[in-house]
Amino acid sequence: MFIGVDHGTRAIRLANTEGKCFIIPRAEAGLLAPSKIAGRIREAFDLAPGTGGGSDGDGDGDGSGAGRAEKVELLALCYSMGDGISEIVRIEDAENRGVISQDGAGLHVGGGTNVFDAVLAARWPAILLPGIHDRSDIDPRMRVFSHGASPEKVGLAYKVRRDGPEDFIISDASSNVVTIGVVDGRIVGAIDAPIFAPGLLHGPLDVAAIRAVDAGKTTANEAFTRGGILRKRGLTLKGCTPEEKEAAFEALALYAAMEIAAMAVLLRDQGAAKPALYLAGDPASRIVRRVSGLLGREVLALAGCDAALGCALIAEDVYKGAREVLGIGVDGRVRW
């Protein structure tokens, strides 16, 4: 079996190449021991017994595996920003879990760390995917930004690429807005959440936020995590009135469309005049028609587990000998 792991803002999603998906909210994963998480993964995918996720008598994945025969051939994992690596590496070869620092733009909950440690302790064959950043093999002009996209966007792009198109743009619009561009099956650039469009929760630092940081009223990371369409107004989706919620999604659709249009400039300069357009994220199905109208072109919505599925497909192809994925190289130590 090949499994992919999407380390999302609000949840950890796992999928296999047959399309089965298993979701653990990040906050919940942050409270679970790695052994418990490994047990839940075994149970969700009917995996054969092995190391990790041992018996503790509470029925949460005891590792007995009675009657089960599934085996992990290879697992592809996303973790945090993925900015400490620029190639696909074995999980055991990744220093500091493949990140430069745990500090950065976003909330650190600990759920992704526990899932990473669960995979490592279970000794499942696993590879770690890099994010897109200023040391990636992308259009050199895009390297002015230190970070473009986290590793799960590579999974999203691979799912779309395996479906057929070679030239496309994906905007993942939800808590954040992150947009990635692909030409001839290679990632050429990405726009990360602190750069351009605000999501519902997080957003780039505007003039007011910069002033607040300079005045010592907040940190830069706090300003980012409170800079989204809703959080700037002290709102949450659950606490919104119907009118406030509709206004928030209308703004999200506008910003996603603007970011797609900006990425289209790069792709046109790369020779892709009419790339396929996709929208990802939990609100995708709700706002995709509006985004299509704003752009005057068809935009297709991706499913919630497509990033994890794309990671599983990467695992399968690397297992079969692929030495590059979307222009990202595979480290020479990755052999099965």
Side-chain angles (χ1 to χ4, degrees):
M1 179 181 292
F2 300 97
I3 296 177
V5 183
D6 163 15
H7 182 181
T9 302
R10 290 182 290 182
I12 311 294
R13 294 176 174 86
L14 300 94
N16 63 14
T17 48
E18 286 73 46
K20 183 171 185 178
C21 187
F22 172 58
I23 300 173
I24 310 176
R26 270 184 69 183
E28 182 180 338
L31 300 175
L32 293 172
S35 61
K36 304 276 283 185
I37 292 173
R40 290 194 180 187
I41 294 170
R42 281 201 184 88
E43 190 170 325
F45 292 100
D46 292 333
L47 297 176
T51 57
S55 175
D56 51 19
D58 65 0
D60 210 7
D62 64 6
S64 63
R68 298 172 181 173
E70 291 289 350
K71 174 186 175 184
V72 177
E73 303 293 347
L74 188 60
L75 180 149
L77 181 71
C78 298
Y79 180 75
S80 189
M81 300 175 78
D83 56 354
I85 54 176
S86 55
E87 290 186 312
I88 296 170
V89 302
R90 298 184 305 176
I91 189 173
E92 61 265 30
D93 295 326
E95 294 184 15
N96 198 37
R97 299 189 179 90
V99 296
I100 291 176
S101 171
Q102 289 285 5
D103 298 324
L107 295 173
H108 181 72
V109 178
T113 301
N114 289 347
V115 171
F116 184 104
D117 291 347
V119 172
L120 195 61
R123 297 185 182 177
W124 292 316
I127 51 176
L128 189 65
L129 306 183
I132 304 302
H133 46 75
D134 54 5
R135 297 176 313 286
S136 299
D137 185 14
I138 57 176
D139 188 300
R141 295 168 292 181
M142 295 299 293
R143 295 189 196 130
V144 70
F145 299 115
S146 63
H147 197 257
S150 296
E152 69 274 5
K153 306 306 184 282
V154 176
L156 268 177
Y158 202 66
K159 166 61 171 61
V160 170
R161 178 66 191 91
R162 283 282 295 266
D163 287 343
E166 291 191 339
D167 306 329
F168 56 90
I169 297 170
I170 304 171
S171 186
D172 191 348
S174 185
S175 301
N176 304 303
V177 178
V178 179
T179 301
I180 193 165
V182 177
V183 175
D184 293 331
R186 296 176 62 90
I187 295 173
V188 295
I191 303 173
D192 199 17
I195 299 172
F196 187 171
L200 294 174
L201 304 183
H202 308 156
L205 275 62
D206 61 9
V207 171
I210 293 170
R211 287 172 174 162
V213 172
D214 284 350
K217 296 178 180 179
T218 186
T219 68
N221 194 46
E222 287 169 345
F224 168 72
T225 56
R226 298 170 187 170
I229 295 163
L230 289 172
R231 279 196 176 155
K232 282 181 76 74
R233 300 169 59 196
L235 297 174
T236 64
L237 272 179
K238 290 184 178 179
C240 280
T241 66
E243 293 77 17
E244 289 169 333
K245 186 177 294 186
E246 187 59 35
F249 282 122
E250 178 66 19
L252 183 67
L254 174 66
Y255 287 125
M258 291 174 67
E259 200 161 279
I260 290 171
M263 183 60 73
V265 174
L266 173 64
L267 267 65
R268 185 168 59 248
D269 193 50
Q270 290 264 359
K274 198 170 182 180
L277 305 180
Y278 296 88
L279 196 65
D282 291 338
S285 60
R286 179 167 183 160
I287 67 173
V288 67
R289 184 176 297 180
R290 182 61 174 139
V291 174
S292 297
L294 288 165
L295 291 168
R297 284 197 52 199
E298 182 184 39
V299 180
L300 300 176
L302 298 172
C305 278
D306 275 355
L309 174 55
C311 293
L313 294 170
I314 289 172
E316 180 179 36
D317 285 351
V318 169
Y319 183 84
K320 292 178 179 177
R323 304 314 298 169
E324 66 89 21
V325 170
L326 299 169
I328 300 169
V330 178
D331 184 85
R333 292 168 291 185
V334 177
R335 300 282 180 184
W336 274 278

